[in-house]
Amino acid sequence: MTATLYRATFLHTPENPFTHAEALHAESDGGLLVEGGVIRARGAFADLRAAHPDAPVTDLRGGLLLPGFVDTHVHLPQVRVIGGLGLPLLDWLDQCALPEEARMADVAYARGVARDFIGGLLGAGTTTALVFGSHFAGAVDAFFEEAAQAGLRAVTGLVVSDRLLRDELHTTPERAYAEGKALIERWHEVGRALYAVTPRFSLSASEGILDACAALMREHPGVRFTSHINENTREIEVVRELFPGARDYLDTYERAGLIGRHSVLAHNVHPSDRELGVMAAARCTAAHCPCSNSALGSGFFPLRRHLDAGVPVSLGSDVGGGTGFSLLKEGLQAHFMQNLMPGGVPLSPAHLLYLATKAGADALDLPEVGAFEPGQQFDAVHLAPAPGTPLDAVFRHAASPERALAAAFATGTPGDVARVWIGGEPALTRA
Ligand SMILES: O=c1[nH]c(=O)c2nc[nH]c2[nH]1
Ligand SMILES: [Zn+2]
């Protein structure tokens, strides 16, 4: 097997900058030796060149090479309804999201949506995603097929609900279990795919549905779990009324046995201290979705409280409540919101890169991705802005790779994503 030597300015965060000083590793003229999709060696280009004089070189100088982004909360059926601005969560669901989600009953339509969606992810440099799937098993199958074809690392599953949405989107505990089991058997750990048990949120899920989810988790160790929590104050009130015996929103999932190391809960904008303590003890991740929180007016994410409690935090685009697939934009919006809120956490470029890469890999328990460590998969995004653009000007004049990284978060877009690799294979090459 021939090895390829990638020559680039690269940055990555193999350690957590919230707990480790100097977590940002940068190499201005760096080399990554990749063989069979796996990073075999990393260092200064000159050193790797001397050690591997015959390896063909892919020259990526002039841009930035980063680990592929890991989006830990994004909705498959919502790519075509991005932009429903100005409505609070429950109105936005009724008016924007759910009518489109009902169209996913048509598998041909769902396949077209899956292609648009995967194009959006790869075009933004996302190589791994925890995807909120569809309420229809046929649409989930179509998405797994399209993701396999594209090489995407997809963690997804059937979304299940049995109340308060629209009739077409409702199922029963028995059907949720049977369809989930069949999908797990077809797709979990097949190629790069993993299954995620996915009740939509407690507002739309009876105890019976949550128990069916728990049965799937028990019978298939290793499947992931995802749902929503504490996003909107009205939503929280309704959940409280629907589960009078629960201590809080988290307890609705906790009592069913759904909270653990493989659980990722989106939003958590309004948590109690008890909820944070339980999430930390279980190593359950909060997926922070700052553009969605802004667009739907959900509130300011209490990052400081999550960090103080020890809850892992990752990043999600939450398309289509969010405004697009770019985790650069999510990083910037997180930075803005922490700057603006009392007691916010000042976020450096290292924090933003970590949240967009390694934190997501950890949330999904995927040690093989998220950074550029030898032994990890070569999942990478090459940012190469067009000549004459402001980002190109910054890249050419930046005093350090860290300054260039800050500019990528401040002003980078999917238009700056030139190439994407997953497991060493090209997943996107812009003409
Ligand atoms: O941001 C959100 N998007 C959704 O589609 C959704 N469903 C339940 N809760 C939700 N929150
Ligand atoms: Zn969501």
Side-chain angles (χ1 to χ4, degrees), residues 385-393 396:
T389 59
L391 187 56
D392 178 57
R396 281 186 292 107

PDB file of all heavy atoms in Angstrom, residues 385-393 396:
ATOM      1  N   PRO A 385      -9.258  29.573   0.630  1.00  0.00           N
ATOM      2  CA  PRO A 385     -10.103  30.635   0.092  1.00  0.00           C
ATOM      3  C   PRO A 385      -9.644  31.095  -1.283  1.00  0.00           C
ATOM      4  O   PRO A 385      -8.458  31.017  -1.605  1.00  0.00           O
ATOM      5  CB  PRO A 385      -9.956  31.758   1.127  1.00  0.00           C
ATOM      6  CG  PRO A 385      -8.755  31.424   1.931  1.00  0.00           C
ATOM      7  CD  PRO A 385      -8.556  29.948   1.852  1.00  0.00           C
ATOM      8  N   ALA A 386     -10.594  31.550  -2.076  1.00  0.00           N
ATOM      9  CA  ALA A 386     -10.270  32.030  -3.426  1.00  0.00           C
ATOM     10  C   ALA A 386      -9.344  33.241  -3.332  1.00  0.00           C
ATOM     11  O   ALA A 386      -9.501  34.076  -2.432  1.00  0.00           O
ATOM     12  CB  ALA A 386     -11.553  32.409  -4.155  1.00  0.00           C
ATOM     13  N   PRO A 387      -8.385  33.308  -4.256  1.00  0.00           N
ATOM     14  CA  PRO A 387      -7.491  34.465  -4.268  1.00  0.00           C
ATOM     15  C   PRO A 387      -8.301  35.758  -4.346  1.00  0.00           C
ATOM     16  O   PRO A 387      -9.311  35.826  -5.051  1.00  0.00           O
ATOM     17  CB  PRO A 387      -6.671  34.268  -5.553  1.00  0.00           C
ATOM     18  CG  PRO A 387      -6.756  32.809  -5.849  1.00  0.00           C
ATOM     19  CD  PRO A 387      -8.091  32.343  -5.324  1.00  0.00           C
ATOM     20  N   GLY A 388      -7.874  36.728  -3.601  1.00  0.00           N
ATOM     21  CA  GLY A 388      -8.562  38.029  -3.638  1.00  0.00           C
ATOM     22  C   GLY A 388      -9.617  38.193  -2.576  1.00  0.00           C
ATOM     23  O   GLY A 388     -10.146  39.288  -2.377  1.00  0.00           O
ATOM     24  N   THR A 389      -9.953  37.097  -1.870  1.00  0.00           N
ATOM     25  CA  THR A 389     -10.956  37.228  -0.806  1.00  0.00           C
ATOM     26  C   THR A 389     -10.274  37.681   0.490  1.00  0.00           C
ATOM     27  O   THR A 389      -9.065  37.461   0.674  1.00  0.00           O
ATOM     28  CB  THR A 389     -11.668  35.885  -0.552  1.00  0.00           C
ATOM     29  OG1 THR A 389     -10.675  34.915  -0.175  1.00  0.00           O
ATOM     30  CG2 THR A 389     -12.401  35.404  -1.792  1.00  0.00           C
ATOM     31  N   PRO A 390     -11.036  38.281   1.397  1.00  0.00           N
ATOM     32  CA  PRO A 390     -10.429  38.716   2.661  1.00  0.00           C
ATOM     33  C   PRO A 390      -9.783  37.564   3.432  1.00  0.00           C
ATOM     34  O   PRO A 390      -8.712  37.737   4.012  1.00  0.00           O
ATOM     35  CB  PRO A 390     -11.612  39.309   3.432  1.00  0.00           C
ATOM     36  CG  PRO A 390     -12.566  39.733   2.365  1.00  0.00           C
ATOM     37  CD  PRO A 390     -12.427  38.741   1.250  1.00  0.00           C
ATOM     38  N   LEU A 391     -10.405  36.390   3.420  1.00  0.00           N
ATOM     39  CA  LEU A 391      -9.806  35.282   4.161  1.00  0.00           C
ATOM     40  C   LEU A 391      -8.461  34.885   3.550  1.00  0.00           C
ATOM     41  O   LEU A 391      -7.499  34.573   4.264  1.00  0.00           O
ATOM     42  CB  LEU A 391     -10.761  34.079   4.204  1.00  0.00           C
ATOM     43  CG  LEU A 391     -10.307  32.924   5.107  1.00  0.00           C
ATOM     44  CD1 LEU A 391     -10.046  33.376   6.546  1.00  0.00           C
ATOM     45  CD2 LEU A 391     -11.332  31.787   5.089  1.00  0.00           C
ATOM     46  N   ASP A 392      -8.390  34.942   2.221  1.00  0.00           N
ATOM     47  CA  ASP A 392      -7.112  34.651   1.561  1.00  0.00           C
ATOM     48  C   ASP A 392      -6.060  35.672   1.995  1.00  0.00           C
ATOM     49  O   ASP A 392      -4.896  35.314   2.257  1.00  0.00           O
ATOM     50  CB  ASP A 392      -7.315  34.673   0.049  1.00  0.00           C
ATOM     51  CG  ASP A 392      -6.021  34.427  -0.700  1.00  0.00           C
ATOM     52  OD1 ASP A 392      -5.403  33.379  -0.466  1.00  0.00           O
ATOM     53  OD2 ASP A 392      -5.618  35.298  -1.496  1.00  0.00           O
ATOM     54  N   ALA A 393      -6.472  36.923   2.089  1.00  0.00           N
ATOM     55  CA  ALA A 393      -5.518  37.966   2.518  1.00  0.00           C
ATOM     56  C   ALA A 393      -5.013  37.674   3.929  1.00  0.00           C
ATOM     57  O   ALA A 393      -3.816  37.781   4.216  1.00  0.00           O
ATOM     58  CB  ALA A 393      -6.189  39.337   2.453  1.00  0.00           C
ATOM     59  N   ARG A 396      -2.581  34.755   3.907  1.00  0.00           N
ATOM     60  CA  ARG A 396      -1.248  35.051   3.364  1.00  0.00           C
ATOM     61  C   ARG A 396      -0.417  35.907   4.311  1.00  0.00           C
ATOM     62  O   ARG A 396       0.805  35.898   4.247  1.00  0.00           O
ATOM     63  CB  ARG A 396      -1.375  35.719   1.988  1.00  0.00           C
ATOM     64  CG  ARG A 396      -1.654  34.678   0.889  1.00  0.00           C
ATOM     65  CD  ARG A 396      -1.653  35.228  -0.514  1.00  0.00           C
ATOM     66  NE  ARG A 396      -2.783  36.114  -0.744  1.00  0.00           N
ATOM     67  CZ  ARG A 396      -2.712  37.430  -0.854  1.00  0.00           C
ATOM     68  NH1 ARG A 396      -1.540  38.034  -0.740  1.00  0.00           N
ATOM     69  NH2 ARG A 396      -3.796  38.140  -1.060  1.00  0.00           N
TER      70      ARG A 396
END
